[in-house]
Each structure stands twice: as C-alpha cells, then as structure tokens.
Amino acid sequence: MSARRVVLWRHGRTASNAQNRFQGQLDVPLDDVGRAQAADAAAHLNATTDVAAVVASDLSRAVDTARAFTALTGHELAQDPALREVDAGQWQGLLGEEIAQRWPEEHAAWRRGEDVRMGGGENRTELGQRVAAAVERHAAAVEGTLLVASHGAALKAAVLRLVGLPVTAGGALAGFRNCHWAVLVRRGDGWVLEEYNAGPVGAGVGAEG
C-alpha cells in the first residue's frame, strides 16, 4: 500500500508572514487573511481532489489550515512534528532586514541558495531529509491521495528531495505562496512533480511567498 499522489499544502498567512518576519518553528497562528485563505483553498481541494488521508505539522498554523479541510470532509487529522518548518535558530522571530544586518555573510549566502545553517539551526539538506522522510512514511500507509499541510521552506526542500534534485536547484523554484500547494505523482519507485504553487483565486489574496 502506498499513496499514488501527494498534495503538499502550505499554511495560510500569519502576521509574521505579512511582516516578513522569520518564523521557523515558532508557533505563530493564522491571521484573519490566513483563515480566509485556508477556507477558500480547502473548498477548492474538497471539490477537485479525492483525498484519502490528511496529515499536518503540529504547529498551529498548519493544523488550523488542515482543519479547514477536515471540517468539510470529516477526515481524521494526523499531526507530525517531523513536518515542522525549518529550525532557524537565532533567526526565528526576526525581520528579514534584522537578520541581514546581524548576520550579513550568512544571510547573503542563504539568499544565494547556499546550504548554510539558518541562525545556527538546520540547513536545507537536513530540512529536506527530515520532511521528505515524513512524507514518505505517511504516504506508505495510504492508498490514493495524501494531503500534507506544512510550511513553505519545509515543503520546498521536501519537493527537491523527493524528485531527486539537489538543494542547489532550489533557486529554480519560487517559494510556496500561502495556502498554495504542489502535487507529486508516483512514477515507479520515485515521484514526479505534476503541479507547483497551484491554488484557487481566493487563496492568492494577501498571499506571501
């Protein structure tokens, strides 16, 4: 048994997203815009996707995004801390400009796509390994389509890992927008990227990323 299709869904907007504040693993809730985005995206996914199972990062912004879907469908919601956003260490809670001022070399290297430790926390390789392994673990227990609610950097790193691309290829993919998703389809023993940054019109309002 294994999922043939995985939908990787980023959470709705938070106040930190709107401020360009680095959240990392801080538990920041959805704002009003984020809740509206989640409702729009959930309705679209429910109408267009036959989901077999739903799992989310245990951070509240991902859980509440996923619950917008499960409230419509009655699915059980599993939570997995391995799907959390990157551990960004000392960068967490800071504005992008503050990080650039305090860690100019590390921030510049990160912006170039180098595999640096963010604020002394994880690098992109470690992040991709962690999140991709969690996706694979949950997919292995599902027949049909698995819906995963997680975070922007986490999902981008997982996509690269799951389709066999190096972390240095990340610059070729835009960041996940709030409440947008990617779709991976099983091909043989691997995954193929079928959709990226997809989402309904309503989920695009106020989207960050």
Side-chain angles (χ1 to χ4, degrees), residues 76-165:
E76 293 292 327
L77 175 59
Q79 298 181 36
D80 189 343
L83 293 170
R84 286 183 181 184
E85 182 60 294
V86 62
D87 176 359
Q90 296 178 73
W91 291 7
Q92 294 181 164
L94 299 180
L95 295 170
E97 61 194 40
E98 293 174 325
I99 297 169
Q101 290 170 359
R102 294 171 60 177
W103 295 274
E105 293 183 6
E106 293 90 339
H107 184 263
W110 172 74
R111 294 279 295 180
R112 290 193 299 269
E114 295 179 22
D115 199 20
V116 298
R117 292 194 176 279
M118 291 167 245
E122 289 178 298
N123 59 32
R124 289 181 169 103
T125 295
E126 292 165 340
L127 175 63
Q129 290 171 341
R130 168 169 61 81
V131 180
V135 171
E136 290 276 27
R137 184 172 67 254
H138 289 282
V142 173
E143 288 184 353
T145 297
L146 172 68
L147 177 61
V148 179
S150 184
H151 310 267
L155 292 178
K156 185 176 178 180
V159 166
L160 293 171
R161 179 86 179 177
L162 290 166
V163 301
L165 292 175

Side-chain angles (χ1 to χ4, degrees), residues 19-99:
Q19 298 164 1
N20 190 33
R21 192 175 296 278
F22 221 100
Q23 294 175 120
Q25 294 189 357
L26 298 180
D27 198 4
V28 183
L30 299 177
D31 63 13
D32 289 342
V33 170
R35 285 186 285 273
Q37 291 171 337
D40 286 336
H44 181 87
L45 287 167
N46 184 39
T48 60
T49 308
D50 184 14
V51 172
V54 187
V55 62
S57 154
D58 64 341
L59 297 178
S60 63
R61 58 191 183 271
V63 170
D64 289 344
T65 297
R67 282 180 176 155
F69 180 84
T70 60
L72 296 175
T73 66
H75 283 84
E76 293 292 327
L77 175 59
Q79 298 181 36
D80 189 343
L83 293 170
R84 286 183 181 184
E85 182 60 294
V86 62
D87 176 359
Q90 296 178 73
W91 291 7
Q92 294 181 164
L94 299 180
L95 295 170
E97 61 194 40
E98 293 174 325
I99 297 169

